[in-house]
Amino acid sequence: MDVFGARMQGSQKLACELTVRNGLVVYDLNGISRADWNKLGAYGPQGEAVWDGTINPGLRAPKK
Protein backbone atom coordinates (compact mmCIF):
# COMPACT_ATOMS: atom_id res chain seq x y z
CA MET A 1 0.00 0.00 0.00
CA ASP A 2 1.14 3.54 -0.61
CA VAL A 3 0.87 6.49 1.80
CA PHE A 4 -2.72 7.14 0.67
CA GLY A 5 -3.82 3.53 1.23
CA ALA A 6 -3.99 2.50 -2.44
CA ARG A 7 -2.89 -1.05 -3.21
CA MET A 8 -0.93 -2.30 -6.20
CA GLN A 9 -0.60 -5.98 -7.01
CA GLY A 10 2.85 -7.34 -7.67
CA SER A 11 4.95 -10.46 -7.72
CA GLN A 12 7.54 -9.27 -5.17
CA LYS A 13 7.39 -7.67 -1.75
CA LEU A 14 9.59 -4.78 -0.66
CA ALA A 15 10.84 -4.83 2.92
CA CYS A 16 12.68 -2.13 4.83
CA GLU A 17 16.24 -3.17 5.65
CA LEU A 18 17.69 0.13 6.91
CA THR A 19 16.12 3.37 8.11
CA VAL A 20 18.11 6.56 8.70
CA ARG A 21 16.67 9.56 10.57
CA ASN A 22 18.58 12.80 11.07
CA GLY A 23 21.76 11.05 9.95
CA LEU A 24 21.43 8.21 12.50
CA VAL A 25 20.48 4.61 11.83
CA VAL A 26 17.16 3.99 13.60
CA TYR A 27 16.39 0.54 12.17
CA ASP A 28 18.85 -2.00 10.84
CA LEU A 29 17.18 -5.33 10.03
CA ASN A 30 20.35 -7.28 9.19
CA GLY A 31 23.04 -5.21 10.92
CA ILE A 32 24.53 -3.86 7.68
CA SER A 33 25.60 -0.65 9.45
CA ARG A 34 27.50 -2.55 12.15
CA ALA A 35 31.16 -3.51 12.24
CA ASP A 36 32.13 -7.15 11.71
CA TRP A 37 32.53 -8.83 15.11
CA ASN A 38 35.76 -10.56 14.12
CA LYS A 39 37.44 -7.20 13.40
CA LEU A 40 36.56 -5.54 16.72
CA GLY A 41 38.53 -7.57 19.26
CA ALA A 42 37.08 -7.02 22.76
CA TYR A 43 33.99 -4.88 22.25
CA GLY A 44 30.76 -3.71 23.87
CA PRO A 45 27.39 -2.60 22.52
CA GLN A 46 27.40 -1.12 19.01
CA GLY A 47 25.50 2.05 18.06
CA GLU A 48 23.04 4.07 20.10
CA ALA A 49 20.88 1.72 22.21
CA VAL A 50 17.91 4.11 22.15
CA TRP A 51 17.55 3.59 18.40
CA ASP A 52 18.64 -0.03 18.24
CA GLY A 53 15.65 -1.96 16.91
CA THR A 54 17.55 -5.24 17.15
CA ILE A 55 17.76 -5.32 20.97
CA ASN A 56 14.83 -6.45 23.11
CA PRO A 57 13.38 -3.30 24.79
CA GLY A 58 13.54 -5.09 28.16
CA LEU A 59 17.33 -5.23 27.85
CA ARG A 60 17.47 -1.44 27.39
CA ALA A 61 15.46 -0.68 30.52
CA PRO A 62 17.31 1.34 33.16
CA LYS A 63 18.82 -0.82 35.88
CA LYS A 64 17.41 -0.30 39.36
Side-chain angles (χ1 to χ4, degrees), residues 9-52:
Q9 291 188 7
S11 60
Q12 296 178 334
K13 178 181 178 181
L14 298 177
C16 177
E17 183 157 334
L18 183 75
T19 302
V20 177
R21 180 175 185 215
N22 293 330
L24 298 173
V25 174
V26 296
Y27 178 75
D28 188 353
L29 177 64
N30 292 307
I32 61 175
S33 68
R34 304 300 175 99
D36 289 334
W37 68 270
N38 59 349
K39 295 180 181 175
L40 291 174
Y43 65 94
Q46 300 290 298
E48 182 66 39
V50 170
W51 298 111
D52 193 342

Side-chain angles (χ1 to χ4, degrees), residues 58-64:
L59 297 176
R60 290 192 301 247
K63 294 183 179 181
K64 296 179 182 179

